[in-house]
Amino acid sequence: MTKKIAIYGKGGIGKSTTVSNIAAIYAKQGLKTLVIGCDPKADTTRTLCGKRIPTVVNTLKENKKPEKEDLIFKGYNGIQCVESGGPEPGIGCAGRGVIVAMKRLENLDVFSENFDVIIYDVLGDVVCGGFSVPLREKYADETFIVTSGEYMSLYAANNISRGILKLKSKLSGIILNSKGTSNEDEIVQEFSSLINTKIIGKINRSELIQISELDAKTVVEKYADSDETKEYEKLAQDILNYNNYSTPTPLDDEVLEEFFKKF
Amino acid sequence: MTKKIAIYGKGGIGKSTTVSNIAAIYAKQGLKTLVIGCDPKADTTRTLCGKRIPTVVNTLKENKKPEKEDLIFKGYNGIQCVESGGPEPGIGCAGRGVIVAMKRLENLDVFSENFDVIIYDVLGDVVCGGFSVPLREKYADETFIVTSGEYMSLYAANNISRGILKLKSKLSGIILNSKGTSNEDEIVQEFSSLINTKIIGKINRSELIQISELDAKTVVEKYADSDETKEYEKLAQDILNYNNYSTPTPLDDEVLEEFFKKF
Ligand SMILES: Nc1ncnc2c1ncn2[C@@H]1O[C@H](COP(=O)(O)OP(=O)(O)O)[C@@H](O)[C@H]1O
Ligand SMILES: Nc1ncnc2c1ncn2[C@@H]1O[C@H](COP(=O)(O)OP(=O)(O)O)[C@@H](O)[C@H]1O
Ligand code: SF4
Ligand SMILES: [Mg+2]
Ligand SMILES: [Mg+2]
């Protein structure tokens, strides 16, 4: 029974960092894992493969009939990695790369292989066009939103939960990727319950995570015995074992503003 | 001769804060000013009108034939304010609100009124669909990008300049909205010249700006004699007097990464 999860959140909030590190944990545990980057930044899998891999969109420019090995690249501990990529800004839909990538992987029967875990890392600044595909087309069964205690990321989380509601999908939980701002835990805790979900796990802010990234590695690979790795272990486990979800109750913009102001 | 400028930048970087404050300066100088919010967040004009105004998209749900006064609201010192709004996340294009708003204002002959300044505040996390309209359709002649020294905002700035290049539009300059990170001035200075533009002005990080926002006012209105207001005065002047622009030379993702790493 493949665990298919989509990770959404504001740009820069820490989706790729979270996705790559929990994927590394799953791979260490011997789980057959597929990571699909659905962010035009196309850098989700950089720390898993040690460098940026070719995107599906760019590969298709040169090769009209790509095989699996032209689109999927093996990374740390055999994790299979795909980057959708995106069209040039200003032209068509930024999410078009995701639509194209999903179709190609579908046609190559990638989704019928027996992966233990499939993780989608999806841009969440807008929830439209290709970026809603993982939810809309049921490529993912569960959605987690990465946020910090900052207003901007909560605004995005609220917006994403509107998309989830609209697309009749389910919200499994909030991943708190700490920025260390004031009252952060309390703010995110209360926000989560206001939108009818809960915090599934928390990752503390840590320089080690950034240092590993500069070395194009996950902290799980580079600092295997660190507290940081233990945190990702716990989060990966909690996500894997979690089989609950809810229909979110997004807040009106004014209500979200008022909520945030009282802190 | 109407000065028509578009302000782009990553979500949360400070576009609305910059736009509302320079608009307030123009209005204080007696310039007939129109501010058009092109961000689904629809809060560009909140500090100019003292509260959130109805968006064009929402107004159209109830009123199929809106007049100017249903879409344009007067704010601080007579500034005329419009919020495009956006469709529900997950449905259609997030930028659709901008397309709809522009058409409506066009049909009501708003653009043929003799404004001295028209400022577009545009989401820049993706440069597609409606969000490229201010550039594509020549609603704006000049584009400025707001950035800080943080990688995420520079990545977005670089992406936006790709959109500008693709749409055969012009980049007038970079507005440095400081986050106070290390080597910020140097990083943004060098980035600007690498993409063939320059820093048009800088706004320092200041609590006063946030305090004013909590009071739904610009710092120009609430703290008229402050250094912060003087900074916006200088920026507004420099933007108004600036009549230069360039074709940007966006960097490849890898080149941008390397550039950032050396700091
Ligand atoms: N818990 C953390 N501690 C320290 N730095 C982090 C943490 N999570 C993310 N970062 C850093 O923040 C930046 C943005 O993270 P990233 O995962 O690329 O965001 P996203 O994929 O959401 O755009 C990266 O430089 C990353 O190293
Ligand atoms: N120079 C500044 N100093 C302090 N706070 C700022 C500054 N510029 C913006 N901010 C704050 O940052 C947040 C995001 O700014 P905003 O203008 O809404 O961003 P955007 O419109 O780009 O999404 C706001 O809370 C705003 O008050
Ligand atoms: S659907 Fe979303 S990603 Fe696609 S063009 Fe519209 S705003 Fe851009
Ligand atoms: Mg990412
Ligand atoms: Mg804004």
PDB file of all heavy atoms in Angstrom, chain B residues 13-47:
ATOM      1  N   ILE B  13       8.077  40.034   0.410  1.00  0.00           N
ATOM      2  CA  ILE B  13       9.319  40.802   0.373  1.00  0.00           C
ATOM      3  C   ILE B  13       9.111  42.274   0.712  1.00  0.00           C
ATOM      4  O   ILE B  13      10.035  42.956   1.133  1.00  0.00           O
ATOM      5  CB  ILE B  13      10.023  40.667  -1.003  1.00  0.00           C
ATOM      6  CG1 ILE B  13      11.466  41.162  -0.942  1.00  0.00           C
ATOM      7  CG2 ILE B  13       9.272  41.424  -2.094  1.00  0.00           C
ATOM      8  CD1 ILE B  13      12.361  40.435   0.035  1.00  0.00           C
ATOM      9  N   GLY B  14       7.886  42.786   0.556  1.00  0.00           N
ATOM     10  CA  GLY B  14       7.620  44.179   0.909  1.00  0.00           C
ATOM     11  C   GLY B  14       7.092  45.024  -0.233  1.00  0.00           C
ATOM     12  O   GLY B  14       7.181  46.250  -0.182  1.00  0.00           O
ATOM     13  N   LYS B  15       6.492  44.399  -1.243  1.00  0.00           N
ATOM     14  CA  LYS B  15       5.950  45.154  -2.380  1.00  0.00           C
ATOM     15  C   LYS B  15       4.847  46.117  -1.927  1.00  0.00           C
ATOM     16  O   LYS B  15       4.899  47.316  -2.211  1.00  0.00           O
ATOM     17  CB  LYS B  15       5.327  44.217  -3.418  1.00  0.00           C
ATOM     18  CG  LYS B  15       6.289  43.315  -4.135  1.00  0.00           C
ATOM     19  CD  LYS B  15       5.555  42.414  -5.091  1.00  0.00           C
ATOM     20  CE  LYS B  15       4.644  41.406  -4.420  1.00  0.00           C
ATOM     21  NZ  LYS B  15       5.369  40.479  -3.539  1.00  0.00           N
ATOM     22  N   SER B  16       3.841  45.583  -1.250  1.00  0.00           N
ATOM     23  CA  SER B  16       2.690  46.394  -0.842  1.00  0.00           C
ATOM     24  C   SER B  16       3.111  47.520   0.084  1.00  0.00           C
ATOM     25  O   SER B  16       2.592  48.634  -0.002  1.00  0.00           O
ATOM     26  CB  SER B  16       1.655  45.511  -0.147  1.00  0.00           C
ATOM     27  OG  SER B  16       1.264  44.479  -1.025  1.00  0.00           O
ATOM     28  N   THR B  17       4.053  47.227   0.963  1.00  0.00           N
ATOM     29  CA  THR B  17       4.538  48.254   1.889  1.00  0.00           C
ATOM     30  C   THR B  17       5.223  49.360   1.097  1.00  0.00           C
ATOM     31  O   THR B  17       5.002  50.545   1.328  1.00  0.00           O
ATOM     32  CB  THR B  17       5.528  47.628   2.890  1.00  0.00           C
ATOM     33  OG1 THR B  17       4.916  46.499   3.516  1.00  0.00           O
ATOM     34  CG2 THR B  17       5.924  48.630   3.948  1.00  0.00           C
ATOM     35  N   THR B  18       6.038  48.963   0.135  1.00  0.00           N
ATOM     36  CA  THR B  18       6.752  49.940  -0.692  1.00  0.00           C
ATOM     37  C   THR B  18       5.763  50.728  -1.544  1.00  0.00           C
ATOM     38  O   THR B  18       5.807  51.957  -1.587  1.00  0.00           O
ATOM     39  CB  THR B  18       7.758  49.221  -1.616  1.00  0.00           C
ATOM     40  OG1 THR B  18       8.625  48.395  -0.827  1.00  0.00           O
ATOM     41  CG2 THR B  18       8.590  50.231  -2.391  1.00  0.00           C
ATOM     42  N   VAL B  19       4.854  50.006  -2.229  1.00  0.00           N
ATOM     43  CA  VAL B  19       3.894  50.654  -3.124  1.00  0.00           C
ATOM     44  C   VAL B  19       3.011  51.652  -2.369  1.00  0.00           C
ATOM     45  O   VAL B  19       2.827  52.791  -2.798  1.00  0.00           O
ATOM     46  CB  VAL B  19       3.022  49.594  -3.837  1.00  0.00           C
ATOM     47  CG1 VAL B  19       1.802  50.237  -4.477  1.00  0.00           C
ATOM     48  CG2 VAL B  19       3.841  48.856  -4.879  1.00  0.00           C
ATOM     49  N   SER B  20       2.470  51.223  -1.238  1.00  0.00           N
ATOM     50  CA  SER B  20       1.555  52.108  -0.509  1.00  0.00           C
ATOM     51  C   SER B  20       2.288  53.345   0.019  1.00  0.00           C
ATOM     52  O   SER B  20       1.747  54.452  -0.014  1.00  0.00           O
ATOM     53  CB  SER B  20       0.870  51.350   0.637  1.00  0.00           C
ATOM     54  OG  SER B  20       1.832  50.727   1.474  1.00  0.00           O
ATOM     55  N   ASN B  21       3.511  53.174   0.471  1.00  0.00           N
ATOM     56  CA  ASN B  21       4.243  54.318   1.006  1.00  0.00           C
ATOM     57  C   ASN B  21       4.708  55.303  -0.069  1.00  0.00           C
ATOM     58  O   ASN B  21       4.647  56.511   0.126  1.00  0.00           O
ATOM     59  CB  ASN B  21       5.419  53.845   1.864  1.00  0.00           C
ATOM     60  CG  ASN B  21       4.994  53.543   3.296  1.00  0.00           C
ATOM     61  OD1 ASN B  21       4.739  54.456   4.078  1.00  0.00           O
ATOM     62  ND2 ASN B  21       4.876  52.260   3.628  1.00  0.00           N
ATOM     63  N   ILE B  22       5.148  54.809  -1.217  1.00  0.00           N
ATOM     64  CA  ILE B  22       5.543  55.775  -2.255  1.00  0.00           C
ATOM     65  C   ILE B  22       4.298  56.423  -2.860  1.00  0.00           C
ATOM     66  O   ILE B  22       4.328  57.600  -3.223  1.00  0.00           O
ATOM     67  CB  ILE B  22       6.462  55.168  -3.342  1.00  0.00           C
ATOM     68  CG1 ILE B  22       5.770  54.062  -4.124  1.00  0.00           C
ATOM     69  CG2 ILE B  22       7.770  54.672  -2.736  1.00  0.00           C
ATOM     70  CD1 ILE B  22       6.636  53.554  -5.294  1.00  0.00           C
ATOM     71  N   ALA B  23       3.186  55.674  -2.921  1.00  0.00           N
ATOM     72  CA  ALA B  23       1.933  56.269  -3.394  1.00  0.00           C
ATOM     73  C   ALA B  23       1.534  57.415  -2.466  1.00  0.00           C
ATOM     74  O   ALA B  23       1.094  58.484  -2.922  1.00  0.00           O
ATOM     75  CB  ALA B  23       0.831  55.218  -3.454  1.00  0.00           C
ATOM     76  N   ALA B  24       1.691  57.196  -1.165  1.00  0.00           N
ATOM     77  CA  ALA B  24       1.353  58.229  -0.185  1.00  0.00           C
ATOM     78  C   ALA B  24       2.218  59.474  -0.401  1.00  0.00           C
ATOM     79  O   ALA B  24       1.734  60.611  -0.279  1.00  0.00           O
ATOM     80  CB  ALA B  24       1.528  57.692   1.232  1.00  0.00           C
ATOM     81  N   ILE B  25       3.491  59.275  -0.743  1.00  0.00           N
ATOM     82  CA  ILE B  25       4.378  60.407  -1.028  1.00  0.00           C
ATOM     83  C   ILE B  25       3.864  61.171  -2.249  1.00  0.00           C
ATOM     84  O   ILE B  25       3.761  62.406  -2.247  1.00  0.00           O
ATOM     85  CB  ILE B  25       5.828  59.925  -1.283  1.00  0.00           C
ATOM     86  CG1 ILE B  25       6.431  59.298  -0.023  1.00  0.00           C
ATOM     87  CG2 ILE B  25       6.694  61.084  -1.796  1.00  0.00           C
ATOM     88  CD1 ILE B  25       6.726  60.265   1.095  1.00  0.00           C
ATOM     89  N   TYR B  26       3.526  60.422  -3.325  1.00  0.00           N
ATOM     90  CA  TYR B  26       3.040  61.084  -4.539  1.00  0.00           C
ATOM     91  C   TYR B  26       1.769  61.879  -4.257  1.00  0.00           C
ATOM     92  O   TYR B  26       1.595  63.000  -4.723  1.00  0.00           O
ATOM     93  CB  TYR B  26       2.790  60.055  -5.657  1.00  0.00           C
ATOM     94  CG  TYR B  26       4.026  59.361  -6.151  1.00  0.00           C
ATOM     95  CD1 TYR B  26       4.028  58.010  -6.463  1.00  0.00           C
ATOM     96  CD2 TYR B  26       5.226  60.069  -6.300  1.00  0.00           C
ATOM     97  CE1 TYR B  26       5.170  57.369  -6.919  1.00  0.00           C
ATOM     98  CE2 TYR B  26       6.378  59.435  -6.744  1.00  0.00           C
ATOM     99  CZ  TYR B  26       6.349  58.088  -7.049  1.00  0.00           C
ATOM    100  OH  TYR B  26       7.494  57.452  -7.488  1.00  0.00           O
ATOM    101  N   ALA B  27       0.881  61.269  -3.479  1.00  0.00           N
ATOM    102  CA  ALA B  27      -0.377  61.949  -3.154  1.00  0.00           C
ATOM    103  C   ALA B  27      -0.107  63.219  -2.341  1.00  0.00           C
ATOM    104  O   ALA B  27      -0.738  64.259  -2.556  1.00  0.00           O
ATOM    105  CB  ALA B  27      -1.283  61.009  -2.379  1.00  0.00           C
ATOM    106  N   LYS B  28       0.840  63.155  -1.411  1.00  0.00           N
ATOM    107  CA  LYS B  28       1.195  64.342  -0.607  1.00  0.00           C
ATOM    108  C   LYS B  28       1.726  65.448  -1.510  1.00  0.00           C
ATOM    109  O   LYS B  28       1.551  66.634  -1.232  1.00  0.00           O
ATOM    110  CB  LYS B  28       2.271  63.967   0.440  1.00  0.00           C
ATOM    111  CG  LYS B  28       1.689  63.725   1.820  1.00  0.00           C
ATOM    112  CD  LYS B  28       2.683  63.087   2.780  1.00  0.00           C
ATOM    113  CE  LYS B  28       3.712  64.091   3.292  1.00  0.00           C
ATOM    114  NZ  LYS B  28       4.548  63.496   4.374  1.00  0.00           N
ATOM    115  N   GLN B  29       2.358  65.041  -2.587  1.00  0.00           N
ATOM    116  CA  GLN B  29       2.902  66.037  -3.529  1.00  0.00           C
ATOM    117  C   GLN B  29       1.847  66.505  -4.531  1.00  0.00           C
ATOM    118  O   GLN B  29       2.161  67.224  -5.488  1.00  0.00           O
ATOM    119  CB  GLN B  29       4.096  65.431  -4.293  1.00  0.00           C
ATOM    120  CG  GLN B  29       5.272  65.119  -3.396  1.00  0.00           C
ATOM    121  CD  GLN B  29       6.394  64.381  -4.127  1.00  0.00           C
ATOM    122  OE1 GLN B  29       6.253  63.993  -5.296  1.00  0.00           O
ATOM    123  NE2 GLN B  29       7.509  64.174  -3.452  1.00  0.00           N
ATOM    124  N   GLY B  30       0.609  66.056  -4.341  1.00  0.00           N
ATOM    125  CA  GLY B  30      -0.489  66.509  -5.197  1.00  0.00           C
ATOM    126  C   GLY B  30      -0.590  65.809  -6.533  1.00  0.00           C
ATOM    127  O   GLY B  30      -1.324  66.240  -7.419  1.00  0.00           O
ATOM    128  N   LEU B  31       0.128  64.688  -6.687  1.00  0.00           N
ATOM    129  CA  LEU B  31       0.062  63.946  -7.952  1.00  0.00           C
ATOM    130  C   LEU B  31      -1.174  63.043  -7.954  1.00  0.00           C
ATOM    131  O   LEU B  31      -1.476  62.396  -6.952  1.00  0.00           O
ATOM    132  CB  LEU B  31       1.323  63.099  -8.140  1.00  0.00           C
ATOM    133  CG  LEU B  31       2.635  63.889  -8.263  1.00  0.00           C
ATOM    134  CD1 LEU B  31       3.834  62.949  -8.301  1.00  0.00           C
ATOM    135  CD2 LEU B  31       2.622  64.765  -9.511  1.00  0.00           C
ATOM    136  N   LYS B  32      -1.905  63.037  -9.075  1.00  0.00           N
ATOM    137  CA  LYS B  32      -3.102  62.197  -9.179  1.00  0.00           C
ATOM    138  C   LYS B  32      -2.635  60.746  -9.338  1.00  0.00           C
ATOM    139  O   LYS B  32      -2.036  60.369 -10.354  1.00  0.00           O
ATOM    140  CB  LYS B  32      -3.936  62.631 -10.379  1.00  0.00           C
ATOM    141  CG  LYS B  32      -5.266  61.900 -10.500  1.00  0.00           C
ATOM    142  CD  LYS B  32      -6.150  62.462 -11.611  1.00  0.00           C
ATOM    143  CE  LYS B  32      -7.409  61.601 -11.726  1.00  0.00           C
ATOM    144  NZ  LYS B  32      -8.249  61.930 -12.876  1.00  0.00           N
ATOM    145  N   THR B  33      -2.907  59.919  -8.321  1.00  0.00           N
ATOM    146  CA  THR B  33      -2.302  58.584  -8.235  1.00  0.00           C
ATOM    147  C   THR B  33      -3.336  57.463  -8.217  1.00  0.00           C
ATOM    148  O   THR B  33      -4.357  57.547  -7.536  1.00  0.00           O
ATOM    149  CB  THR B  33      -1.448  58.494  -6.949  1.00  0.00           C
ATOM    150  OG1 THR B  33      -0.546  59.607  -6.900  1.00  0.00           O
ATOM    151  CG2 THR B  33      -0.650  57.201  -6.915  1.00  0.00           C
ATOM    152  N   LEU B  34      -3.060  56.407  -8.986  1.00  0.00           N
ATOM    153  CA  LEU B  34      -3.902  55.206  -9.004  1.00  0.00           C
ATOM    154  C   LEU B  34      -3.043  54.018  -8.598  1.00  0.00           C
ATOM    155  O   LEU B  34      -1.958  53.816  -9.146  1.00  0.00           O
ATOM    156  CB  LEU B  34      -4.471  54.987 -10.406  1.00  0.00           C
ATOM    157  CG  LEU B  34      -5.225  53.673 -10.685  1.00  0.00           C
ATOM    158  CD1 LEU B  34      -6.489  53.569  -9.847  1.00  0.00           C
ATOM    159  CD2 LEU B  34      -5.580  53.564 -12.176  1.00  0.00           C
ATOM    160  N   VAL B  35      -3.502  53.260  -7.604  1.00  0.00           N
ATOM    161  CA  VAL B  35      -2.781  52.066  -7.154  1.00  0.00           C
ATOM    162  C   VAL B  35      -3.638  50.845  -7.453  1.00  0.00           C
ATOM    163  O   VAL B  35      -4.811  50.800  -7.070  1.00  0.00           O
ATOM    164  CB  VAL B  35      -2.469  52.116  -5.642  1.00  0.00           C
ATOM    165  CG1 VAL B  35      -1.865  50.787  -5.180  1.00  0.00           C
ATOM    166  CG2 VAL B  35      -1.520  53.272  -5.335  1.00  0.00           C
ATOM    167  N   ILE B  36      -3.060  49.868  -8.164  1.00  0.00           N
ATOM    168  CA  ILE B  36      -3.821  48.664  -8.527  1.00  0.00           C
ATOM    169  C   ILE B  36      -3.136  47.438  -7.941  1.00  0.00           C
ATOM    170  O   ILE B  36      -2.028  47.071  -8.342  1.00  0.00           O
ATOM    171  CB  ILE B  36      -3.919  48.511 -10.062  1.00  0.00           C
ATOM    172  CG1 ILE B  36      -4.538  49.786 -10.666  1.00  0.00           C
ATOM    173  CG2 ILE B  36      -4.766  47.289 -10.421  1.00  0.00           C
ATOM    174  CD1 ILE B  36      -4.635  49.780 -12.173  1.00  0.00           C
ATOM    175  N   GLY B  37      -3.778  46.808  -6.994  1.00  0.00           N
ATOM    176  CA  GLY B  37      -3.238  45.584  -6.389  1.00  0.00           C
ATOM    177  C   GLY B  37      -3.465  44.400  -7.313  1.00  0.00           C
ATOM    178  O   GLY B  37      -4.589  44.144  -7.730  1.00  0.00           O
ATOM    179  N   CYS B  38      -2.370  43.698  -7.653  1.00  0.00           N
ATOM    180  CA  CYS B  38      -2.454  42.537  -8.536  1.00  0.00           C
ATOM    181  C   CYS B  38      -1.870  41.329  -7.804  1.00  0.00           C
ATOM    182  O   CYS B  38      -1.067  40.575  -8.361  1.00  0.00           O
ATOM    183  CB  CYS B  38      -1.702  42.777  -9.842  1.00  0.00           C
ATOM    184  SG  CYS B  38      -2.322  44.191 -10.776  1.00  0.00           S
ATOM    185  N   ASP B  39      -2.227  41.173  -6.580  1.00  0.00           N
ATOM    186  CA  ASP B  39      -1.782  40.069  -5.746  1.00  0.00           C
ATOM    187  C   ASP B  39      -3.037  39.488  -5.113  1.00  0.00           C
ATOM    188  O   ASP B  39      -3.856  40.244  -4.585  1.00  0.00           O
ATOM    189  CB  ASP B  39      -0.821  40.601  -4.669  1.00  0.00           C
ATOM    190  CG  ASP B  39      -0.118  39.497  -3.898  1.00  0.00           C
ATOM    191  OD1 ASP B  39      -0.782  38.499  -3.539  1.00  0.00           O
ATOM    192  OD2 ASP B  39       1.091  39.621  -3.651  1.00  0.00           O
ATOM    193  N   PRO B  40      -3.225  38.159  -5.212  1.00  0.00           N
ATOM    194  CA  PRO B  40      -4.451  37.579  -4.635  1.00  0.00           C
ATOM    195  C   PRO B  40      -4.634  37.927  -3.155  1.00  0.00           C
ATOM    196  O   PRO B  40      -5.744  37.899  -2.634  1.00  0.00           O
ATOM    197  CB  PRO B  40      -4.249  36.062  -4.813  1.00  0.00           C
ATOM    198  CG  PRO B  40      -3.290  35.942  -5.947  1.00  0.00           C
ATOM    199  CD  PRO B  40      -2.399  37.134  -5.879  1.00  0.00           C
ATOM    200  N   LYS B  41      -3.536  38.291  -2.492  1.00  0.00           N
ATOM    201  CA  LYS B  41      -3.641  38.699  -1.089  1.00  0.00           C
ATOM    202  C   LYS B  41      -4.521  39.935  -0.924  1.00  0.00           C
ATOM    203  O   LYS B  41      -5.044  40.205   0.141  1.00  0.00           O
ATOM    204  CB  LYS B  41      -2.241  39.005  -0.523  1.00  0.00           C
ATOM    205  CG  LYS B  41      -1.523  37.784   0.016  1.00  0.00           C
ATOM    206  CD  LYS B  41      -0.384  38.178   0.933  1.00  0.00           C
ATOM    207  CE  LYS B  41       0.875  38.475   0.120  1.00  0.00           C
ATOM    208  NZ  LYS B  41       1.957  39.041   0.956  1.00  0.00           N
ATOM    209  N   ALA B  42      -4.648  40.721  -2.007  1.00  0.00           N
ATOM    210  CA  ALA B  42      -5.569  41.863  -2.047  1.00  0.00           C
ATOM    211  C   ALA B  42      -5.439  42.798  -0.853  1.00  0.00           C
ATOM    212  O   ALA B  42      -6.434  43.305  -0.331  1.00  0.00           O
ATOM    213  CB  ALA B  42      -7.013  41.357  -2.169  1.00  0.00           C
ATOM    214  N   ASP B  43      -4.207  43.058  -0.410  1.00  0.00           N
ATOM    215  CA  ASP B  43      -4.045  43.960   0.735  1.00  0.00           C
ATOM    216  C   ASP B  43      -3.097  45.125   0.465  1.00  0.00           C
ATOM    217  O   ASP B  43      -2.640  45.777   1.397  1.00  0.00           O
ATOM    218  CB  ASP B  43      -3.555  43.160   1.958  1.00  0.00           C
ATOM    219  CG  ASP B  43      -2.203  42.511   1.714  1.00  0.00           C
ATOM    220  OD1 ASP B  43      -1.628  42.694   0.620  1.00  0.00           O
ATOM    221  OD2 ASP B  43      -1.715  41.795   2.609  1.00  0.00           O
ATOM    222  N   THR B  44      -2.815  45.390  -0.808  1.00  0.00           N
ATOM    223  CA  THR B  44      -1.915  46.490  -1.159  1.00  0.00           C
ATOM    224  C   THR B  44      -2.438  47.816  -0.633  1.00  0.00           C
ATOM    225  O   THR B  44      -1.683  48.662  -0.157  1.00  0.00           O
ATOM    226  CB  THR B  44      -1.804  46.629  -2.694  1.00  0.00           C
ATOM    227  OG1 THR B  44      -1.432  45.373  -3.252  1.00  0.00           O
ATOM    228  CG2 THR B  44      -0.791  47.685  -3.076  1.00  0.00           C
ATOM    229  N   THR B  45      -3.757  47.993  -0.729  1.00  0.00           N
ATOM    230  CA  THR B  45      -4.332  49.318  -0.475  1.00  0.00           C
ATOM    231  C   THR B  45      -4.921  49.446   0.931  1.00  0.00           C
ATOM    232  O   THR B  45      -5.538  50.458   1.261  1.00  0.00           O
ATOM    233  CB  THR B  45      -5.442  49.592  -1.515  1.00  0.00           C
ATOM    234  OG1 THR B  45      -6.408  48.536  -1.441  1.00  0.00           O
ATOM    235  CG2 THR B  45      -4.853  49.619  -2.929  1.00  0.00           C
ATOM    236  N   ARG B  46      -4.717  48.445   1.730  1.00  0.00           N
ATOM    237  CA  ARG B  46      -5.293  48.434   3.091  1.00  0.00           C
ATOM    238  C   ARG B  46      -4.782  49.620   3.926  1.00  0.00           C
ATOM    239  O   ARG B  46      -5.557  50.257   4.637  1.00  0.00           O
ATOM    240  CB  ARG B  46      -4.931  47.114   3.768  1.00  0.00           C
ATOM    241  CG  ARG B  46      -5.450  46.979   5.183  1.00  0.00           C
ATOM    242  CD  ARG B  46      -5.112  45.599   5.760  1.00  0.00           C
ATOM    243  NE  ARG B  46      -5.241  45.631   7.205  1.00  0.00           N
ATOM    244  CZ  ARG B  46      -4.281  46.030   8.026  1.00  0.00           C
ATOM    245  NH1 ARG B  46      -3.111  46.408   7.522  1.00  0.00           N
ATOM    246  NH2 ARG B  46      -4.475  46.064   9.328  1.00  0.00           N
ATOM    247  N   THR B  47      -3.500  49.943   3.801  1.00  0.00           N
ATOM    248  CA  THR B  47      -2.948  51.046   4.601  1.00  0.00           C
ATOM    249  C   THR B  47      -3.248  52.408   3.962  1.00  0.00           C
ATOM    250  O   THR B  47      -3.002  53.448   4.574  1.00  0.00           O
ATOM    251  CB  THR B  47      -1.423  50.914   4.767  1.00  0.00           C
ATOM    252  OG1 THR B  47      -0.823  50.773   3.469  1.00  0.00           O
ATOM    253  CG2 THR B  47      -1.075  49.703   5.620  1.00  0.00           C
TER     254      THR B  47
END
